Amino acid sequence: STVQGTLALLGETERILANVLGMAAFSLVPAAGAHGELAGMMMVAAYHRDHPGAETRDEVLVPDGAHGTNPASAALCGFKVVEVKSDARGGVDLADLRAKVSPRTAALMLTNPNTLGIFEDHIQDIAALIAGVGALLYYDGANLNGILGRARPGDMGFDVMHLNLHKTFSTPH
C-alpha cells in the first residue's frame, strides 16, 4: 500500500521536471550526473540507429572547455570526439563549429551556461545548425542552476539532457 504513493510521487516529479526543462519526458533512473550523461549519449546512439544514415553518424562535437565527462561519455558510446574551439569571449566559436559539423555529426554536447559561466548568446543559431544536419543537441545540465526558472533547455532546441540534482537544486558547480 505504501509503494503506490511513492510511485505516484516519482511520476509527478518526472512530469514537473519535464515541464520545468521544456522536455517531452524525463526519467529519474540515472543515479548521478555522469550516469545520466552516459544514458543520454546511449539514447543519442539509439536514436541514430533507428534513423536513415546511422552508419555515418559517428562523431560527437564537444567544446574545448567542456567537462571531462563529455568526451568520455561520447567515446564510451563508440563515437569519435571532435573538439570545437571557443571564441575570444569563451563561448562556442561559430566559424569553427560550422567547419566541423557534417552529416557524420551525431550530436553536439553543450553546457549552457558553460564551464566559464557564460551563456551561449548564439544558442538558437547553434541549435539550428545542429538540427540542420539531422544531429541532436545534448544539454549537460551541470550548470543548469544558473538559468533554472528563467529559461528551459527544450525551448533553446536541446533534444537530450541530464541534470545533476546536487548542483541544480543545491550547491552550484
Side-chain angles (χ1 to χ4, degrees), residues 89-92 111-124 139 146-147 150-152 156 158:
R89 187 172 174 266
V92 170
T111 305
N112 193 29
N114 67 20
T115 305
L116 299 174
I118 298 168
F119 187 84
E120 293 290 347
D121 294 334
H122 305 287
I123 190 60
Q124 292 184 330
Y139 187 92
I147 62 168
R150 297 183 176 273
R152 301 184 326 164
M156 292 179 224
F158 286 93

PDB file of all heavy atoms in Angstrom, residues 89-92 111-124 139 146-147 150-152 156 158:
ATOM      1  N   ARG A  89      35.412  35.334 -26.405  1.00  0.00           N
ATOM      2  CA  ARG A  89      34.568  35.576 -25.223  1.00  0.00           C
ATOM      3  C   ARG A  89      34.454  34.341 -24.337  1.00  0.00           C
ATOM      4  O   ARG A  89      34.062  34.426 -23.182  1.00  0.00           O
ATOM      5  CB  ARG A  89      33.187  36.027 -25.696  1.00  0.00           C
ATOM      6  CG  ARG A  89      32.280  36.456 -24.576  1.00  0.00           C
ATOM      7  CD  ARG A  89      30.989  37.078 -25.138  1.00  0.00           C
ATOM      8  NE  ARG A  89      30.075  37.341 -24.053  1.00  0.00           N
ATOM      9  CZ  ARG A  89      29.113  36.515 -23.660  1.00  0.00           C
ATOM     10  NH1 ARG A  89      28.919  35.376 -24.286  1.00  0.00           N
ATOM     11  NH2 ARG A  89      28.327  36.831 -22.652  1.00  0.00           N
ATOM     12  N   GLY A  90      34.747  33.157 -24.894  1.00  0.00           N
ATOM     13  CA  GLY A  90      34.653  31.922 -24.126  1.00  0.00           C
ATOM     14  C   GLY A  90      33.484  31.044 -24.521  1.00  0.00           C
ATOM     15  O   GLY A  90      33.279  29.976 -23.952  1.00  0.00           O
ATOM     16  N   GLY A  91      32.696  31.472 -25.494  1.00  0.00           N
ATOM     17  CA  GLY A  91      31.583  30.667 -25.995  1.00  0.00           C
ATOM     18  C   GLY A  91      32.026  29.816 -27.177  1.00  0.00           C
ATOM     19  O   GLY A  91      33.209  29.803 -27.547  1.00  0.00           O
ATOM     20  N   VAL A  92      31.091  29.119 -27.775  1.00  0.00           N
ATOM     21  CA  VAL A  92      31.391  28.291 -28.942  1.00  0.00           C
ATOM     22  C   VAL A  92      31.783  29.197 -30.107  1.00  0.00           C
ATOM     23  O   VAL A  92      31.102  30.181 -30.406  1.00  0.00           O
ATOM     24  CB  VAL A  92      30.162  27.432 -29.325  1.00  0.00           C
ATOM     25  CG1 VAL A  92      30.363  26.754 -30.668  1.00  0.00           C
ATOM     26  CG2 VAL A  92      29.885  26.397 -28.245  1.00  0.00           C
ATOM     27  N   THR A 111      27.207  22.628 -22.495  1.00  0.00           N
ATOM     28  CA  THR A 111      26.779  23.091 -21.184  1.00  0.00           C
ATOM     29  C   THR A 111      26.433  24.566 -21.350  1.00  0.00           C
ATOM     30  O   THR A 111      27.217  25.317 -21.932  1.00  0.00           O
ATOM     31  CB  THR A 111      27.908  22.927 -20.152  1.00  0.00           C
ATOM     32  OG1 THR A 111      28.340  21.577 -20.149  1.00  0.00           O
ATOM     33  CG2 THR A 111      27.442  23.313 -18.760  1.00  0.00           C
ATOM     34  N   ASN A 112      25.253  24.964 -20.876  1.00  0.00           N
ATOM     35  CA  ASN A 112      24.821  26.343 -21.080  1.00  0.00           C
ATOM     36  C   ASN A 112      24.084  26.857 -19.855  1.00  0.00           C
ATOM     37  O   ASN A 112      22.976  26.386 -19.608  1.00  0.00           O
ATOM     38  CB  ASN A 112      23.926  26.426 -22.314  1.00  0.00           C
ATOM     39  CG  ASN A 112      23.702  27.848 -22.773  1.00  0.00           C
ATOM     40  OD1 ASN A 112      24.544  28.705 -22.572  1.00  0.00           O
ATOM     41  ND2 ASN A 112      22.564  28.087 -23.382  1.00  0.00           N
ATOM     42  N   PRO A 113      24.641  27.756 -19.067  1.00  0.00           N
ATOM     43  CA  PRO A 113      25.914  28.424 -19.242  1.00  0.00           C
ATOM     44  C   PRO A 113      27.072  27.419 -19.202  1.00  0.00           C
ATOM     45  O   PRO A 113      26.973  26.377 -18.566  1.00  0.00           O
ATOM     46  CB  PRO A 113      25.994  29.388 -18.060  1.00  0.00           C
ATOM     47  CG  PRO A 113      24.682  29.338 -17.363  1.00  0.00           C
ATOM     48  CD  PRO A 113      23.933  28.191 -17.872  1.00  0.00           C
ATOM     49  N   ASN A 114      28.153  27.782 -19.880  1.00  0.00           N
ATOM     50  CA  ASN A 114      29.266  26.844 -19.996  1.00  0.00           C
ATOM     51  C   ASN A 114      30.112  26.807 -18.715  1.00  0.00           C
ATOM     52  O   ASN A 114      29.765  27.429 -17.714  1.00  0.00           O
ATOM     53  CB  ASN A 114      30.107  27.151 -21.239  1.00  0.00           C
ATOM     54  CG  ASN A 114      30.838  28.473 -21.170  1.00  0.00           C
ATOM     55  OD1 ASN A 114      31.049  29.045 -20.103  1.00  0.00           O
ATOM     56  ND2 ASN A 114      31.243  28.976 -22.325  1.00  0.00           N
ATOM     57  N   THR A 115      31.207  26.109 -18.773  1.00  0.00           N
ATOM     58  CA  THR A 115      32.061  25.931 -17.603  1.00  0.00           C
ATOM     59  C   THR A 115      32.610  27.262 -17.076  1.00  0.00           C
ATOM     60  O   THR A 115      32.891  27.401 -15.889  1.00  0.00           O
ATOM     61  CB  THR A 115      33.224  24.966 -17.948  1.00  0.00           C
ATOM     62  OG1 THR A 115      32.651  23.758 -18.447  1.00  0.00           O
ATOM     63  CG2 THR A 115      34.060  24.621 -16.733  1.00  0.00           C
ATOM     64  N   LEU A 116      32.718  28.256 -17.946  1.00  0.00           N
ATOM     65  CA  LEU A 116      33.174  29.581 -17.531  1.00  0.00           C
ATOM     66  C   LEU A 116      32.032  30.430 -16.978  1.00  0.00           C
ATOM     67  O   LEU A 116      32.250  31.559 -16.547  1.00  0.00           O
ATOM     68  CB  LEU A 116      33.811  30.311 -18.716  1.00  0.00           C
ATOM     69  CG  LEU A 116      35.040  29.645 -19.340  1.00  0.00           C
ATOM     70  CD1 LEU A 116      35.475  30.393 -20.594  1.00  0.00           C
ATOM     71  CD2 LEU A 116      36.170  29.549 -18.336  1.00  0.00           C
ATOM     72  N   GLY A 117      30.817  29.900 -17.028  1.00  0.00           N
ATOM     73  CA  GLY A 117      29.662  30.647 -16.556  1.00  0.00           C
ATOM     74  C   GLY A 117      29.068  31.559 -17.612  1.00  0.00           C
ATOM     75  O   GLY A 117      28.259  32.432 -17.312  1.00  0.00           O
ATOM     76  N   ILE A 118      29.444  31.356 -18.866  1.00  0.00           N
ATOM     77  CA  ILE A 118      28.993  32.203 -19.971  1.00  0.00           C
ATOM     78  C   ILE A 118      27.822  31.549 -20.695  1.00  0.00           C
ATOM     79  O   ILE A 118      27.898  30.397 -21.116  1.00  0.00           O
ATOM     80  CB  ILE A 118      30.151  32.460 -20.957  1.00  0.00           C
ATOM     81  CG1 ILE A 118      31.276  33.198 -20.235  1.00  0.00           C
ATOM     82  CG2 ILE A 118      29.666  33.231 -22.178  1.00  0.00           C
ATOM     83  CD1 ILE A 118      32.564  33.255 -21.014  1.00  0.00           C
ATOM     84  N   PHE A 119      26.746  32.303 -20.831  1.00  0.00           N
ATOM     85  CA  PHE A 119      25.582  31.829 -21.580  1.00  0.00           C
ATOM     86  C   PHE A 119      25.881  31.976 -23.067  1.00  0.00           C
ATOM     87  O   PHE A 119      26.397  33.001 -23.510  1.00  0.00           O
ATOM     88  CB  PHE A 119      24.343  32.642 -21.204  1.00  0.00           C
ATOM     89  CG  PHE A 119      23.084  32.109 -21.811  1.00  0.00           C
ATOM     90  CD1 PHE A 119      22.395  31.068 -21.205  1.00  0.00           C
ATOM     91  CD2 PHE A 119      22.587  32.635 -22.994  1.00  0.00           C
ATOM     92  CE1 PHE A 119      21.231  30.563 -21.769  1.00  0.00           C
ATOM     93  CE2 PHE A 119      21.432  32.138 -23.564  1.00  0.00           C
ATOM     94  CZ  PHE A 119      20.752  31.101 -22.946  1.00  0.00           C
ATOM     95  N   GLU A 120      25.561  30.940 -23.825  1.00  0.00           N
ATOM     96  CA  GLU A 120      25.771  30.968 -25.277  1.00  0.00           C
ATOM     97  C   GLU A 120      24.769  31.919 -25.923  1.00  0.00           C
ATOM     98  O   GLU A 120      23.593  31.608 -26.065  1.00  0.00           O
ATOM     99  CB  GLU A 120      25.615  29.563 -25.872  1.00  0.00           C
ATOM    100  CG  GLU A 120      26.676  28.580 -25.449  1.00  0.00           C
ATOM    101  CD  GLU A 120      28.046  28.874 -26.053  1.00  0.00           C
ATOM    102  OE1 GLU A 120      28.160  29.704 -27.000  1.00  0.00           O
ATOM    103  OE2 GLU A 120      29.022  28.261 -25.581  1.00  0.00           O
ATOM    104  N   ASP A 121      25.246  33.110 -26.319  1.00  0.00           N
ATOM    105  CA  ASP A 121      24.381  34.107 -26.950  1.00  0.00           C
ATOM    106  C   ASP A 121      23.758  33.606 -28.244  1.00  0.00           C
ATOM    107  O   ASP A 121      22.677  34.037 -28.628  1.00  0.00           O
ATOM    108  CB  ASP A 121      25.178  35.381 -27.265  1.00  0.00           C
ATOM    109  CG  ASP A 121      25.644  36.102 -26.014  1.00  0.00           C
ATOM    110  OD1 ASP A 121      24.985  35.955 -24.963  1.00  0.00           O
ATOM    111  OD2 ASP A 121      26.658  36.810 -26.100  1.00  0.00           O
ATOM    112  N   HIS A 122      24.446  32.719 -28.917  1.00  0.00           N
ATOM    113  CA  HIS A 122      24.004  32.238 -30.234  1.00  0.00           C
ATOM    114  C   HIS A 122      23.390  30.846 -30.158  1.00  0.00           C
ATOM    115  O   HIS A 122      23.480  30.086 -31.107  1.00  0.00           O
ATOM    116  CB  HIS A 122      25.183  32.254 -31.208  1.00  0.00           C
ATOM    117  CG  HIS A 122      25.840  33.587 -31.318  1.00  0.00           C
ATOM    118  ND1 HIS A 122      25.258  34.651 -31.974  1.00  0.00           N
ATOM    119  CD2 HIS A 122      27.015  34.050 -30.813  1.00  0.00           C
ATOM    120  CE1 HIS A 122      26.044  35.709 -31.889  1.00  0.00           C
ATOM    121  NE2 HIS A 122      27.127  35.370 -31.190  1.00  0.00           N
ATOM    122  N   ILE A 123      22.754  30.537 -29.035  1.00  0.00           N
ATOM    123  CA  ILE A 123      22.256  29.176 -28.841  1.00  0.00           C
ATOM    124  C   ILE A 123      21.247  28.775 -29.907  1.00  0.00           C
ATOM    125  O   ILE A 123      21.244  27.630 -30.358  1.00  0.00           O
ATOM    126  CB  ILE A 123      21.691  28.968 -27.403  1.00  0.00           C
ATOM    127  CG1 ILE A 123      21.410  27.486 -27.150  1.00  0.00           C
ATOM    128  CG2 ILE A 123      20.477  29.824 -27.143  1.00  0.00           C
ATOM    129  CD1 ILE A 123      22.622  26.588 -27.266  1.00  0.00           C
ATOM    130  N   GLN A 124      20.402  29.685 -30.347  1.00  0.00           N
ATOM    131  CA  GLN A 124      19.416  29.313 -31.368  1.00  0.00           C
ATOM    132  C   GLN A 124      20.079  29.061 -32.717  1.00  0.00           C
ATOM    133  O   GLN A 124      19.658  28.174 -33.455  1.00  0.00           O
ATOM    134  CB  GLN A 124      18.308  30.351 -31.441  1.00  0.00           C
ATOM    135  CG  GLN A 124      17.475  30.316 -30.164  1.00  0.00           C
ATOM    136  CD  GLN A 124      16.283  31.247 -30.193  1.00  0.00           C
ATOM    137  OE1 GLN A 124      16.308  32.282 -30.848  1.00  0.00           O
ATOM    138  NE2 GLN A 124      15.252  30.859 -29.483  1.00  0.00           N
ATOM    139  N   TYR A 139      22.304  18.586 -23.840  1.00  0.00           N
ATOM    140  CA  TYR A 139      22.494  19.568 -22.787  1.00  0.00           C
ATOM    141  C   TYR A 139      23.109  18.915 -21.559  1.00  0.00           C
ATOM    142  O   TYR A 139      22.490  18.066 -20.923  1.00  0.00           O
ATOM    143  CB  TYR A 139      21.148  20.195 -22.405  1.00  0.00           C
ATOM    144  CG  TYR A 139      21.256  21.354 -21.436  1.00  0.00           C
ATOM    145  CD1 TYR A 139      21.357  22.648 -21.909  1.00  0.00           C
ATOM    146  CD2 TYR A 139      21.262  21.163 -20.064  1.00  0.00           C
ATOM    147  CE1 TYR A 139      21.460  23.728 -21.039  1.00  0.00           C
ATOM    148  CE2 TYR A 139      21.363  22.223 -19.184  1.00  0.00           C
ATOM    149  CZ  TYR A 139      21.465  23.506 -19.684  1.00  0.00           C
ATOM    150  OH  TYR A 139      21.566  24.560 -18.828  1.00  0.00           O
ATOM    151  N   GLY A 146      22.111  28.075 -13.051  1.00  0.00           N
ATOM    152  CA  GLY A 146      22.268  29.458 -13.481  1.00  0.00           C
ATOM    153  C   GLY A 146      21.091  29.991 -14.285  1.00  0.00           C
ATOM    154  O   GLY A 146      20.914  31.208 -14.392  1.00  0.00           O
ATOM    155  N   ILE A 147      20.267  29.092 -14.847  1.00  0.00           N
ATOM    156  CA  ILE A 147      19.136  29.542 -15.672  1.00  0.00           C
ATOM    157  C   ILE A 147      17.803  28.935 -15.227  1.00  0.00           C
ATOM    158  O   ILE A 147      16.763  29.294 -15.771  1.00  0.00           O
ATOM    159  CB  ILE A 147      19.366  29.221 -17.164  1.00  0.00           C
ATOM    160  CG1 ILE A 147      19.484  27.718 -17.403  1.00  0.00           C
ATOM    161  CG2 ILE A 147      20.590  29.977 -17.685  1.00  0.00           C
ATOM    162  CD1 ILE A 147      19.433  27.316 -18.866  1.00  0.00           C
ATOM    163  N   ARG A 150      14.282  30.491 -15.407  1.00  0.00           N
ATOM    164  CA  ARG A 150      14.366  31.652 -16.295  1.00  0.00           C
ATOM    165  C   ARG A 150      14.366  31.228 -17.770  1.00  0.00           C
ATOM    166  O   ARG A 150      13.939  31.997 -18.631  1.00  0.00           O
ATOM    167  CB  ARG A 150      15.616  32.466 -16.016  1.00  0.00           C
ATOM    168  CG  ARG A 150      15.622  33.055 -14.615  1.00  0.00           C
ATOM    169  CD  ARG A 150      16.840  33.920 -14.403  1.00  0.00           C
ATOM    170  NE  ARG A 150      16.795  34.546 -13.090  1.00  0.00           N
ATOM    171  CZ  ARG A 150      16.192  35.687 -12.822  1.00  0.00           C
ATOM    172  NH1 ARG A 150      15.546  36.325 -13.759  1.00  0.00           N
ATOM    173  NH2 ARG A 150      16.227  36.183 -11.605  1.00  0.00           N
ATOM    174  N   ALA A 151      14.908  30.072 -18.045  1.00  0.00           N
ATOM    175  CA  ALA A 151      14.983  29.561 -19.416  1.00  0.00           C
ATOM    176  C   ALA A 151      14.901  28.040 -19.365  1.00  0.00           C
ATOM    177  O   ALA A 151      15.298  27.433 -18.372  1.00  0.00           O
ATOM    178  CB  ALA A 151      16.286  30.000 -20.075  1.00  0.00           C
ATOM    179  N   ARG A 152      14.361  27.446 -20.428  1.00  0.00           N
ATOM    180  CA  ARG A 152      14.215  25.987 -20.483  1.00  0.00           C
ATOM    181  C   ARG A 152      15.070  25.434 -21.623  1.00  0.00           C
ATOM    182  O   ARG A 152      14.934  25.894 -22.768  1.00  0.00           O
ATOM    183  CB  ARG A 152      12.761  25.607 -20.679  1.00  0.00           C
ATOM    184  CG  ARG A 152      11.853  26.117 -19.589  1.00  0.00           C
ATOM    185  CD  ARG A 152      10.418  25.678 -19.687  1.00  0.00           C
ATOM    186  NE  ARG A 152       9.884  25.532 -21.030  1.00  0.00           N
ATOM    187  CZ  ARG A 152       8.757  24.861 -21.304  1.00  0.00           C
ATOM    188  NH1 ARG A 152       8.062  24.311 -20.318  1.00  0.00           N
ATOM    189  NH2 ARG A 152       8.322  24.769 -22.532  1.00  0.00           N
ATOM    190  N   MET A 156      15.346  26.073 -26.023  1.00  0.00           N
ATOM    191  CA  MET A 156      16.554  26.508 -26.733  1.00  0.00           C
ATOM    192  C   MET A 156      16.894  25.582 -27.890  1.00  0.00           C
ATOM    193  O   MET A 156      17.784  25.887 -28.670  1.00  0.00           O
ATOM    194  CB  MET A 156      17.742  26.540 -25.770  1.00  0.00           C
ATOM    195  CG  MET A 156      17.662  27.587 -24.710  1.00  0.00           C
ATOM    196  SD  MET A 156      19.133  27.455 -23.662  1.00  0.00           S
ATOM    197  CE  MET A 156      18.377  27.604 -22.056  1.00  0.00           C
ATOM    198  N   PHE A 158      17.427  22.066 -27.322  1.00  0.00           N
ATOM    199  CA  PHE A 158      18.108  20.856 -26.855  1.00  0.00           C
ATOM    200  C   PHE A 158      17.165  19.656 -26.956  1.00  0.00           C
ATOM    201  O   PHE A 158      15.981  19.760 -26.655  1.00  0.00           O
ATOM    202  CB  PHE A 158      18.601  21.027 -25.419  1.00  0.00           C
ATOM    203  CG  PHE A 158      19.800  21.918 -25.320  1.00  0.00           C
ATOM    204  CD1 PHE A 158      19.656  23.272 -25.076  1.00  0.00           C
ATOM    205  CD2 PHE A 158      21.079  21.406 -25.505  1.00  0.00           C
ATOM    206  CE1 PHE A 158      20.760  24.109 -25.000  1.00  0.00           C
ATOM    207  CE2 PHE A 158      22.188  22.233 -25.432  1.00  0.00           C
ATOM    208  CZ  PHE A 158      22.030  23.583 -25.181  1.00  0.00           C
TER     209      PHE A 158
END
